[in-house]
């Protein structure tokens, strides 16, 4: 690729700052730094971030990661090899060592013994790790974190600690760097052969598995880390459909116009079972639109753009989409015919601008207007990108067509929610109860806590439980009710209520007697 998209530069900026930063350099010289490379997706991200950090000045952070940056300039790379490793992981690690001149040291002990040996036989004082929040060993760790008291002393450096699952795949897909082939076979978190299977959320109807980057819910990343001899816990397949929304417009960023399209699209997608994983707002700039569309189209199943498709010079969404897809922007003859039939002799060059589309990448979807006539402005779908106008009434008309397209691909199970209105305002009092429910049912039920003020019923916190599995949702509600302090239990409960923070308790809520 010619350069990282802007979004990838933003995602990686904090990580590069960590590795180039003063605190890291104060730990030790480069010869005192080691890099734990296990061939997984997180360490693969780190490999290329480290290459950028050690080889490029800050002004060149948009350099080509597939370029000729060789070796890690004295950083010691090591890997633990075990008899139960996947052959694909071993092959990938060896290939990366060869391709990038890593000279990876292969250790054959457990992690602790291997680290002790490494520290005793080298000058290593800091180890760069691919730990992210949510990993089993991440509790209490920070970006710079000394080793535990019962371990030999060294500095743990966790540059991607705050990265999400989606961030990892946005980076890997956007930079087009190689990664282990197992991730294209449905594995989302890779351990040993005897405790790792493909993620059941990615299973297709024909029994094969979609690639790891198609996983919509990052909380389910470790769903495949189970013993193959034990039955898999059933997981709702329909959580795998993912969407991103890109809203375009200088007027929105300048707060000249209020964005009403995002709440509408989020609620509509959720109503038909889709999970909106990302929403971003960008200016009327081709490069900015292109970067976001490219990253989102790679990371999610569909992308919806809103705005920037009119006849004026600031309407550049189609140009951005074309650039993202690597296609030239040209006049579409079918769109031009529709416009000429509609405007007749009054047609101008400005009108014909609306007939431009990415060449060879678009599907034109005609639809009927409310009055029964054919719309001269069909819905345009470019690969997996639905291009919608920004005017709310027009967007809603075209959304009906997009919705029909999505439903035609197969109806998804709906989301169900339970909202508990608590008479307390201190979230620290209820945090242990939330942790208990998350440990028991976190794979099936999403849990959220939302502080509220000025509620007429006196509620200080709204707890949201959400799932597509009603049985699991009911279990979570009961478990949460039992785990909450007696004076913090819900005074009312709302079912399938999508809106929080209203001034009064809805009539549909069910009063719950406080124990």
């Amino acid at each position: 690729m010619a350069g990282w998209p802007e979004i990838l530069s933003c995602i990686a900026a904090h990580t590069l700052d960590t590795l180039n930063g003063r605190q890291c350099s104060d730990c030790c010289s480069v010869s005192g730094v080691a890099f734990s490379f296990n061939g997984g997706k997180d360490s693969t991200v780190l490999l290329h971030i480290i290459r950028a950090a050690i080889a490029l000045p800050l002004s060149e952070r948009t350099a080509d990661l597939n370029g000729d940056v060789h070796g890690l300039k004295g950083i010691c790379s090591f890997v633990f090899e075990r008899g139960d490793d996947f052959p694909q992981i071993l092959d990938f690690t060896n290939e990366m060592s060869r391709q990038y001149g890593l000279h990876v040291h292969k250790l054959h002990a457990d992690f602790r013994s291997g680290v002790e040996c490494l520290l005793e036989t080298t000058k290593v004082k800091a180890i760069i790790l691919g730990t992210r929040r949510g990993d089993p060993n991440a509790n209490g760790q920070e970006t710079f974190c000394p080793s535990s008291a019962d371990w030999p002393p060294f500095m743990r450096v966790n540059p991607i600690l705050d990265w999400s699952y989606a961030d990892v795949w946005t980076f890997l897909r956007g930079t087009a760097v190689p990664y282990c082939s197992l991730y294209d076979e449905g594995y989302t978190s890779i351990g040993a052969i005897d405790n790792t299977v493909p993620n059941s959320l990615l299973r297709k109807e024909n029994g094969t598995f979609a690639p790891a980057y198609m996983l919509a819910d990052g909380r389910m990343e470790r769903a495949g880390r189970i013993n193959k001899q034990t039955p898999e816990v059933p997981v709702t397949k329909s959580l795998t459909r993912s969407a991103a929304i890109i809203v375009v417009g200088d007027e929105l960023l300048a707060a000249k116009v209020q964005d009403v399209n995002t709440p509408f699209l989020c609620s509509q997608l959720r109503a038909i079972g889709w999970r909106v994983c990302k929403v971003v707002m960008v200016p009327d700039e081709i490069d900015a639109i292109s970067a976001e569309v490219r990253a989102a189209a790679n990371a999610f199943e569909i992308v919806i753009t809103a705005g920037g498709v009119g006849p004026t010079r600031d309407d550049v969404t189609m140009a951005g989409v074309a650039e993202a897809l690597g296609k030239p922007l040209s006049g579409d003859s079918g769109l031009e015919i529709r416009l000429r039939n509609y405007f007749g002799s009054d047609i101008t060059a400005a009108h014909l601008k609306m007939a431009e589309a990415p060449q060879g990448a678009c599907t034109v979807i005609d639809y009927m207007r409310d009055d029964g006539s054919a719309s001269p402005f069909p819905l345009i779908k470019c690969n997996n990108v639905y291009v919608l106008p920004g005017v709310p009434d027009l967007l809603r008309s075209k959304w009906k067509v997009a919705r029909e397209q999505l439903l035609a691909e197969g109806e998804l199970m709906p989301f169900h929610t339970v909202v508990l209105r608590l008479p307390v305002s201190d979230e620290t009092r209820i945090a242990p109860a939330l942790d208990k429910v998350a440990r028991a049912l976190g794979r099936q039920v999403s849990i959220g806590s939302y502080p509220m003020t000025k509620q007429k019923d006196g509620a200080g916190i709204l707890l949201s439980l959400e799932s597509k599995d009603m049985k699991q949702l009911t279990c979570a509600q009961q478990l949460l009710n039992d785990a909450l302090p007696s004076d913090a239990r819900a005074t009312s409960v709302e079912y399938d209520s999508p809106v929080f923070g209203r001034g009064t308790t809805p009539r549909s809520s069910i009063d719950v007697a406080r124990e």
Side-chain angles (χ1 to χ4, degrees):
M1 54 190 292
W4 293 359
E6 184 178 347
I7 183 174
L8 298 176
S9 182
C10 292
I11 289 175
H14 174 71
T15 307
L16 288 167
D17 288 341
T18 297
L19 293 172
N20 281 322
R22 185 170 186 177
Q23 189 170 355
C24 191
S25 61
D26 286 348
C27 291
C28 48
S29 64
V30 171
S31 63
V33 178
F35 165 44
S36 176
F37 180 60
N38 62 12
K41 60 185 184 301
D42 298 328
S43 65
T44 301
V45 167
L46 271 183
L47 167 62
H48 297 289
I49 293 291
I50 293 170
R51 291 175 60 226
I54 64 176
L56 305 174
L58 298 183
S59 61
E60 296 181 17
R61 285 184 177 174
T62 57
D64 184 357
L65 281 186
N66 283 314
D68 192 21
V69 178
H70 203 63
L72 297 184
K73 302 292 181 67
I75 292 179
C76 170
S77 301
F78 66 92
V79 62
F80 288 91
E81 285 194 350
R82 303 185 306 269
D84 55 359
D85 283 329
F86 282 91
Q88 296 91 328
I89 283 286
L90 297 177
D91 290 345
F92 176 73
T93 303
N94 290 333
E95 174 58 23
M96 292 301 96
S97 181
R98 183 199 65 78
Q99 182 173 338
Y100 297 112
L102 304 183
H103 306 294
V104 174
H105 296 270
K106 297 180 180 180
L107 307 178
H108 299 278
D110 61 87
F111 189 81
R112 175 167 180 155
S113 299
V115 168
E116 289 178 343
C117 180
L118 185 72
L119 296 176
E120 290 173 0
T121 58
T122 68
K123 298 179 180 180
V124 168
K125 296 180 181 179
I127 300 177
I128 303 172
L129 302 164
T131 302
R132 291 189 290 114
R133 298 199 190 280
D135 289 349
N137 63 333
N139 187 37
Q141 292 206 40
E142 298 299 334
T143 304
F144 293 94
C145 184
S147 57
S148 302
D150 57 339
W151 279 61
F154 69 95
M155 179 66 73
R156 292 176 288 191
V157 184
N158 303 310
I160 62 171
L161 185 65
D162 293 313
W163 281 40
S164 68
Y165 182 83
D167 289 338
V168 169
W169 282 109
T170 296
F171 181 91
L172 292 175
R173 297 273 292 165
T175 55
V177 294
Y179 54 82
C180 180
S181 62
L182 287 174
Y183 292 113
D184 285 335
E185 299 173 15
Y187 291 84
T188 53
S189 178
I190 300 174
I193 290 177
D194 62 355
N195 67 5
T196 308
V197 295
N199 194 319
S200 59
L201 286 167
L202 297 175
R203 184 182 288 115
K204 301 178 183 178
E205 291 184 359
N206 64 4
T208 62
F209 290 83
Y213 61 81
M214 299 296 289
L215 183 68
D217 189 349
R219 294 171 302 135
M220 305 300 183
E221 176 181 356
R222 297 181 64 83
R225 297 290 286 271
I226 59 176
N227 192 304
K228 290 183 178 180
Q229 304 303 316
T230 61
E232 289 188 51
V233 177
V235 181
T236 308
K237 276 179 58 179
S238 49
L239 284 176
T240 59
R241 308 308 302 273
S242 60
I245 299 170
I246 300 174
V247 185
V248 181
D250 290 344
E251 70 279 9
L252 298 170
L253 291 168
K256 296 175 181 177
V257 175
Q258 183 178 2
D259 174 30
V260 297
N261 290 329
T262 298
F264 171 78
L265 289 172
C266 286
S267 64
Q268 289 290 306
L269 284 161
R270 202 160 197 77
I272 60 173
W274 282 73
R275 183 178 296 278
V276 177
C277 300
K278 181 177 184 178
V279 175
V280 62
M281 190 176 293
V282 296
D284 297 310
E285 297 175 6
I286 295 175
D287 289 347
I289 296 169
S290 172
E292 296 292 351
V293 170
R294 184 184 299 112
N298 284 332
F300 308 110
E301 292 180 79
I302 64 165
V303 179
I304 297 176
T305 68
V309 292
T312 58
R313 64 183 305 276
D314 59 339
D315 292 313
V316 294
T317 295
M318 276 298 187
V321 172
E323 183 175 294
L325 301 180
K327 301 290 184 179
L329 183 69
S330 62
D332 182 275
S333 58
L335 294 176
E336 182 175 339
I337 289 172
R338 290 170 176 82
L339 292 173
R340 289 189 181 279
N341 288 339
Y342 182 71
F343 291 106
S345 60
D346 293 328
I347 197 165
T348 65
H351 292 124
L352 292 176
K353 183 176 184 294
M354 294 185 288
E356 295 177 340
Q359 185 176 323
C362 288
T363 300
V364 177
I365 305 169
D366 287 302
Y367 66 96
M368 306 302 289
R369 294 185 292 190
D370 293 339
D371 62 4
S373 61
S375 172
F377 307 103
L379 174 66
I380 307 299
K381 180 185 177 185
C382 304
N383 291 354
N384 64 335
V385 181
Y386 288 88
V387 182
L388 303 184
V391 178
D393 288 344
L394 300 180
L395 178 140
R396 296 185 182 209
S397 294
K398 288 197 175 182
W399 161 250
K400 294 178 183 178
V401 187
R403 180 179 182 275
E404 291 176 1
Q405 294 288 312
L406 297 178
L407 291 175
E409 296 176 8
E411 292 193 19
L412 305 178
M413 293 176 61
F415 290 97
H416 298 287
T417 60
V418 174
V419 178
L420 295 83
R421 302 177 68 89
L422 308 188
V424 296
S425 58
D426 184 357
E427 286 187 293
T428 62
R429 297 192 59 215
I430 65 170
L434 302 186
D435 291 341
K436 182 176 181 179
V437 177
R439 286 193 298 270
L441 296 166
R443 290 182 60 203
Q444 287 280 17
V445 181
S446 172
I447 307 167
S449 175
Y450 308 94
M452 292 289 168
T453 59
K454 300 180 181 179
Q455 300 293 292
K456 291 185 179 180
D457 64 346
I461 297 174
L462 270 61
L463 293 184
S464 169
L465 303 176
E466 183 176 78
S467 179
K468 292 191 172 188
D469 188 323
M470 282 297 297
K471 182 178 179 180
Q472 296 296 327
L473 189 62
T474 301
C475 290
Q477 181 183 353
Q478 183 60 55
L479 181 60
L480 182 59
N481 186 63
D482 293 342
L484 286 169
S486 58
D487 63 338
R489 290 174 181 159
T491 56
S492 65
V493 181
E494 302 165 15
Y495 294 91
D496 287 333
S497 176
V499 180
F500 295 161
R502 290 160 296 197
T504 59
T505 304
R507 296 194 189 108
S508 61
S509 64
I510 300 175
D511 290 336
V512 178
R514 189 184 306 171
E515 297 182 9

